[in-house]
Amino acid sequence: MSRLLLNCDIGESFGNWTMGLDAEVMPFIDCANIACGFHAGDPSIMRKTVSLALSHGVQIGAHPAYQDLVGFGRRSMAYTAQELQDILHYQIGALDGICRAQGGKVSYVKPHGAMYNDMMANPAQLRAVIQAVAAYDRTLPLMLMATRDNSAAQQLGDEYGVNLWFEAFADRAYDSAGMLVSRQLPGAVHHDPEKIIEQALIIARSDHLTANDGSALHLQANTLCVHGDNASSVAAVQRIRQALNQQSES
């Protein structure tokens, strides 16, 4: 098995409001998707989270979103392709500046929430996101959802010379197309740590998941996400790390 990178959405506190258990999660992940201020995070939170990631040797990813603090970036918003590229450059650049001030750098980009879901549903929006990453720094990989068929997304990445990291989720339910079940539907988020660990290992082994309609689903992924705002995922992350390490050694 090629090594599956473990990533987590992180740095999503704001001011005096705390989201997630960043210090508890950071020692067990490979990649930290750090909020850039539009859906969560602020300059001080970003600085502290970057410092924590650097102290643990964790790769830092920009986690940009729609400008929607109230909705935590989970509501779709209308942007032109140029506006979308502008807000991506603004957020990536902000985090990159904070990283550089501490001797680090942004190593990849992973859009958040509705922006992430919208780009997976709309090829024109995915093209705009890939163009934005290519214009900022073509060497930065873009993290996006692994689905039943990654070929169309891969073709767009190849067109712009952007490396794609396909991502699967340990704590989310999937539909038959390999898309995430809407959070508005029951059962969309797994809260049983044992189920989260089981799904993580199925993905790591490249075995078949069971979609919400009962069909078999195979996802080819480079990285596995656990959500920092899901307490059950945080509880499971150390065991997922240990299981992935054991599996890669066997």
Side-chain angles (χ1 to χ4, degrees), residues 195-246:
K195 184 174 182 63
I196 294 169
I197 294 165
E198 178 187 12
Q199 183 157 309
L201 292 178
I202 289 171
I203 294 166
R205 292 193 302 263
S206 293
D207 287 344
H208 289 84
L209 295 170
T210 302
N212 66 342
D213 68 347
S215 63
L217 175 66
H218 179 244
L219 300 176
Q220 289 198 328
N222 310 108
T223 183
L224 179 73
C225 179
V226 292
H227 284 101
D229 63 339
N230 181 350
S232 300
S233 292
V234 173
V237 70
Q238 182 175 1
R239 291 174 60 193
I240 292 173
R241 172 83 281 159
Q242 291 170 341
L244 292 179
N245 288 347
Q246 290 170 358

Side-chain angles (χ1 to χ4, degrees), residues 13-29:
S13 300
F14 184 80
N16 291 329
W17 180 76
T18 300
M19 166 69 83
L21 299 169
D22 295 358
E24 287 82 355
V25 169
M26 196 70 80
F28 304 107
I29 61 175

Side-chain angles (χ1 to χ4, degrees), residues 5-210:
L5 298 174
L6 187 58
N7 79 79
C8 185
D9 300 345
I10 211 161
E12 292 183 319
S13 300
F14 184 80
N16 291 329
W17 180 76
T18 300
M19 166 69 83
L21 299 169
D22 295 358
E24 287 82 355
V25 169
M26 196 70 80
F28 304 107
I29 61 175
D30 301 293
C31 303
N33 318 316
I34 299 179
C36 301
F38 272 30
H39 78 283
D42 58 41
S44 294
I45 296 294
M46 291 162 71
R47 173 185 54 80
K48 293 173 185 176
T49 311
V50 165
S51 177
L52 185 64
L54 292 174
S55 70
H56 288 281
V58 172
Q59 291 190 69
I60 293 169
H63 197 39
Y66 294 145
Q67 196 165 13
D68 182 25
L69 277 175
V70 172
F72 199 66
R74 287 181 176 157
R75 301 181 293 189
S76 291
M77 304 179 75
Y79 287 88
T80 67
Q82 186 59 65
E83 289 170 339
L84 187 61
Q85 291 179 45
D86 291 343
I87 66 169
L88 284 164
H89 290 160
Y90 186 95
Q91 293 175 84
I92 298 167
L95 183 64
D96 200 26
I98 289 173
C99 287
R100 290 178 183 275
Q102 298 189 56
K105 64 177 182 178
V106 167
S107 297
Y108 64 94
V109 177
K110 177 192 170 180
H112 165 82
M115 182 189 290
Y116 183 97
N117 292 330
D118 290 349
M119 77 179 189
M120 295 306 304
N122 183 344
Q125 182 153 333
L126 179 57
R127 180 181 291 273
V129 171
I130 291 174
Q131 284 178 313
V133 173
Y136 186 87
D137 182 348
R138 200 178 301 274
T139 68
L140 292 180
L142 172 67
M143 195 179 289
L144 74 169
M145 194 187 307
T147 64
R148 187 178 290 277
D149 183 0
N150 298 332
S151 59
Q154 187 63 64
Q155 186 175 351
L156 273 177
D158 292 344
E159 181 179 340
Y160 291 96
V162 172
N163 186 25
L164 303 181
W165 287 355
F166 289 100
E167 174 185 42
F169 293 82
D171 58 358
R172 294 294 305 276
Y174 283 89
D175 66 19
S176 60
M179 303 293 284
L180 299 181
V181 173
S182 170
R183 287 177 179 268
Q184 298 178 6
L185 298 176
V189 179
H190 301 323
H191 294 292
D192 179 354
E194 297 301 325
K195 184 174 182 63
I196 294 169
I197 294 165
E198 178 187 12
Q199 183 157 309
L201 292 178
I202 289 171
I203 294 166
R205 292 193 302 263
S206 293
D207 287 344
H208 289 84
L209 295 170
T210 302

